[in-house]
Amino acid sequence: MTVHPAPASFMLDDYLAAHERKSLLRFITCGSVDDGKSTLIGRLLYESKRLFDDQIAALERDSRKHGTQAGSIDFALLVDGLASEREQGITIDVAYRFFSTDRRTFIVADTPGHEQYTRNMATGASTADVAIVLVDARKGITRQTRRHSLLVSLLGIRHVVLAINKMDLVDWSEAKFTEIVTEFQGFSAELGFEHVTAIPLSALHGDNIVASSSRARWYKGPTLLSHLETVDVEPLGGAEPFRLPVQWVNRPNPDFRGFSGLVTSGMVRPGERVRVLPSGLETTVTRIVTHGGEQDEAVAGQSITLLLSDEVDVSRGDIIASAGRPPHVSDRIEARLFWMATEHLKEGDQFLLKLGAGTVPAKVVSVRQRIDLTTLAPVEASSFGANDVGDVTLALDYSIAFDSYGESRRTGGFILIDRESFDTVAIGLVDGAGSRRDAGFQPTRNDGQVTWLKSIREQKRRSVLKAMSWRVIGSVATVAAAFVLTQDTRLAAAIGATEVVTKLVLYYGHERLWARIRFGLSIAAKQHRTDPQSSGAS
């Protein structure tokens, strides 16, 4: 018989309030195949006493059926839930787990280690604050370790835990631990990590996961859980400008017109000047409305509705930003891409670019360089293969607002979508606004479809020379053909001269005739011809 406490004695409200005050940390595990990522998360949940009795019973039952530990508990099965994952003993999809300690709430993403599933790892890393990079103590740093570290850096994660796993299989060698740490620090020095914390551990046996291990007396650092509970990843909110990507125009009645979305950075108060982009119109915030009512300010992470003082045109996909520190606006973007499709990316490919709540047609104008995953150095490239990382220039159908990814992950990151299958084929990080010098293309709308034409910047003398040259070439060809047929030079010359005169008369006469015919003209063109003001009449 189970006795439940009375609601008053349980103090449910105090319990919920305590959890609401906890900070949230998102972290991922990444690394090569069989480095122990799933086992680490399962052991972390088990050792932190965050599993219910029925979960433990199910884990023991599954371990006997699918486990790889000879009947002992296989902690990897806590996160490897797909049938194919259990059959193969690998992680394929991203698995998210939620747990909480007395000091913090966590969302952990277990990501796959196989190269062909790197796209799934990038998906999990896109929202994480901390990355746990696992390394098998026997294998050391691998190519996939370098690839994942590069992606972690590109996606803006600045706090890394270098978890050197399976230390029990190298007899807890301090020399081996130091060797791996030194190698990682050497190649990651230019990746921009703020903190790299190295921890020796054994996920299978629980050493240095929650409690310190007596097998590594030479290690004096924190355990994995204590580090995750104390690491400071909070950005300097006051230094970030206000950004609100508009997701919905809220119009419940004629007297209310607000613009709803998630504040991605900064803060805003009623009375502050804001700018709507890409239009560039400025106005003032009059009210901030939330589900719980009006409030005096809004900060990053809150979903709000803004009411503005002026009747400005704001649509889904626009960004409402601080008037003093607005984002960039351009129809050219220079970006670093992580290419995820099996087909190669090359110049001229067309996609849909989704940034925030907006989607715009985009074209790859140039592939500038690719990153060598061994040396992390840029190399020349004309295309990208699966899982390649490199820099491109994109031309958009129209201008959008964006930040560089270093300034804002929310408004500086985007995805590329295949226009036929609607599959996500690339993750993009904005470097900045592109220059038109290297574009050479100009987007043109045609019956709702986007076509791409070479931009025309010809001088008049070039146009005249081109128009005359083809006529001269045509006349010479006519004279030559006539001479071959008649063997008479004078007759051939006469035919050529006649052909030149006839072409000129017919061409210019034909153009003037059709200039007077209104059939097939657009409505705008007809109005221009019939509007007295257009011809200067009063």
Side-chain angles (χ1 to χ4, degrees):
M1 177 178 179
T2 302
V3 179
H4 297 282
S9 62
F10 183 62
M11 295 182 293
L12 177 62
D13 292 341
D14 293 341
Y15 176 80
L16 295 177
H19 276 272
E20 289 179 355
R21 289 192 294 268
K22 294 179 183 178
S23 61
L24 172 66
L25 180 73
R26 300 173 182 266
F27 68 94
I28 66 165
T29 57
C30 53
S32 298
V33 181
D34 293 331
D35 280 352
K37 298 179 291 298
S38 299
T39 302
L40 174 66
I41 295 177
R43 174 63 79 168
L44 184 61
L45 296 173
Y46 182 82
E47 294 289 343
S48 59
K49 311 299 181 185
R50 300 303 162 183
L51 298 178
F52 295 105
D53 291 341
D54 59 337
Q55 289 178 302
I56 296 177
L59 176 61
E60 292 174 346
R61 183 175 61 252
D62 291 342
S63 296
R64 290 191 294 270
K65 183 178 181 180
H66 303 287
T68 60
Q69 301 303 322
S72 300
I73 294 180
D74 187 351
F75 294 101
L77 297 178
L78 280 172
V79 287
D80 288 342
L82 297 178
S84 56
E85 292 178 325
R86 296 190 170 196
E87 290 172 359
Q88 302 178 54
I90 63 172
T91 301
I92 297 175
D93 200 2
V94 181
Y96 293 93
R97 290 294 180 269
F98 306 82
F99 69 100
S100 179
T101 66
D102 294 336
R103 304 180 66 175
R104 207 167 214 169
T105 300
F106 301 93
I107 300 177
V108 53
D110 180 31
T111 62
H114 282 69
E115 183 172 335
Q116 68 189 92
Y117 301 126
T118 305
R119 68 184 72 182
N120 296 345
M121 176 269 166
T123 301
S126 61
T127 58
D129 305 307
V130 174
I132 300 178
V133 180
L134 263 77
V135 176
D136 189 326
R138 300 168 300 173
K139 302 176 183 177
I141 305 298
T142 65
R143 176 181 172 85
Q144 193 70 338
T145 305
R146 295 173 179 269
R147 184 194 305 272
H148 283 188
S149 299
L150 174 61
L151 289 176
V152 163
S153 171
L154 293 178
L155 292 169
I157 300 177
R158 295 293 173 257
H159 298 268
V160 171
V161 176
L162 179 62
I164 302 179
N165 192 24
K166 304 184 181 182
M167 286 294 296
D168 54 306
L169 300 182
V170 294
D171 199 24
W172 291 93
S173 170
E174 182 180 5
K176 186 65 175 179
F177 174 79
T178 304
E179 175 188 341
I180 295 174
V181 172
T182 302
E183 183 179 357
F184 184 85
Q185 291 175 340
F187 87 85
S188 66
E190 298 182 359
L191 294 182
F193 297 138
E194 293 181 11
H195 300 285
V196 177
T197 302
I199 303 177
L201 50 85
S202 172
L204 182 62
H205 300 290
D207 297 281
N208 285 336
I209 302 297
V210 173
S212 297
S213 174
S214 59
R215 303 179 185 179
R217 299 184 184 278
W218 46 266
Y219 175 69
K220 305 301 181 182
T223 63
L224 178 62
L225 182 60
S226 64
H227 175 74
L228 294 176
E229 287 182 323
T230 57
V231 61
D232 183 15
V233 297
E234 294 296 328
L236 300 176
E240 297 183 342
F242 171 68
R243 300 286 187 267
L244 177 73
V246 177
Q247 300 177 1
W248 179 42
V249 179
N250 189 351
R251 193 73 185 275
N253 58 65
D255 300 324
F256 187 99
R257 184 168 177 259
F259 308 101
S260 304
L262 175 71
V263 180
T264 59
S265 64
M267 62 182 300
V268 67
R269 296 185 178 92
E272 291 188 2
R273 297 288 292 176
V274 293
R275 184 177 299 179
V276 180
L277 298 162
S279 66
L281 299 174
E282 289 193 14
T283 183
T284 303
V285 176
T286 58
R287 296 166 60 191
I288 301 175
V289 181
T290 66
H291 178 71
E294 294 193 30
Q295 56 188 49
D296 295 331
E297 70 175 21
V299 298
Q302 290 185 301
S303 295
I304 63 172
T305 297
L306 289 184
L307 277 75
L308 307 177
S309 60
D310 301 302
E311 292 294 333
V312 295
D313 182 18
V314 183
S315 304
R316 173 180 169 84
D318 290 350
I319 293 180
I320 300 177
S322 170
R325 297 175 63 186
H328 306 286
V329 175
S330 178
D331 62 355
R332 295 291 188 277
I333 288 180
E334 292 183 355
R336 176 155 290 182
L337 283 188
F338 169 58
W339 182 248
M340 303 188 299
T342 55
E343 300 83 5
H344 278 58
L345 170 76
K346 57 186 181 303
E347 294 181 3
D349 288 348
Q350 300 183 28
F351 306 97
L352 297 176
L353 184 149
K354 181 173 177 57
L355 190 154
T359 303
V360 57
K363 183 184 182 72
V364 179
V365 172
S366 65
V367 177
R368 302 200 304 274
Q369 59 187 16
R370 179 177 55 83
I371 305 300
D372 186 295
L373 296 178
T374 302
T375 64
L376 302 184
V379 295
E380 292 186 3
S382 58
S383 64
F384 292 164
N387 297 324
D388 276 347
V389 179
D391 299 326
V392 300
T393 299
L394 300 172
L396 312 181
D397 189 36
Y398 49 85
S399 296
I400 62 171
F402 55 86
D403 290 291
S404 66
Y405 193 80
E407 297 171 344
S408 174
R409 294 174 70 180
R410 294 276 189 170
T411 52
F414 62 88
I415 60 174
L416 292 182
I417 303 171
D418 185 271
R419 298 177 64 175
E420 296 183 358
S421 65
F422 292 99
D423 291 336
T424 300
V425 295
I427 294 175
L429 316 176
V430 178
D431 288 337
S435 170
R436 290 180 178 272
R437 292 193 305 270
D438 59 357
F441 289 86
Q442 177 177 329
T444 305
R445 293 186 179 275
N446 180 21
D447 297 331
Q449 301 295 324
V450 177
T451 58
W452 299 84
L453 305 176
K454 286 285 186 180
S455 58
I456 300 175
R457 299 186 178 93
E458 291 186 345
Q459 297 178 353
K460 288 185 177 181
R461 57 185 179 182
R462 173 182 169 87
S463 298
V464 172
L465 181 60
K466 285 173 62 178
M468 295 303 297
S469 62
W470 77 266
R471 290 179 172 84
V472 171
I473 294 173
S475 299
V476 171
T478 301
V479 171
F483 177 76
V484 171
L485 294 175
T486 63
Q487 297 298 315
D488 188 332
T489 304
R490 297 177 60 185
L491 179 59
I495 292 174
T498 303
E499 188 260 354
V500 171
V501 175
T502 303
K503 272 187 177 180
L504 292 175
V505 172
L506 289 178
Y507 176 76
Y508 290 106
H510 180 267
E511 289 295 315
R512 290 184 175 274
L513 176 63
W514 275 97
R516 297 177 177 273
I517 299 175
R518 296 185 179 182
F519 173 76
L521 289 177
S522 64
I523 296 176
K526 291 181 180 179
Q527 290 176 345
H528 178 76
R529 290 181 180 277
T530 57
D531 188 357
Q533 294 181 356
S534 66
S535 60
S538 57

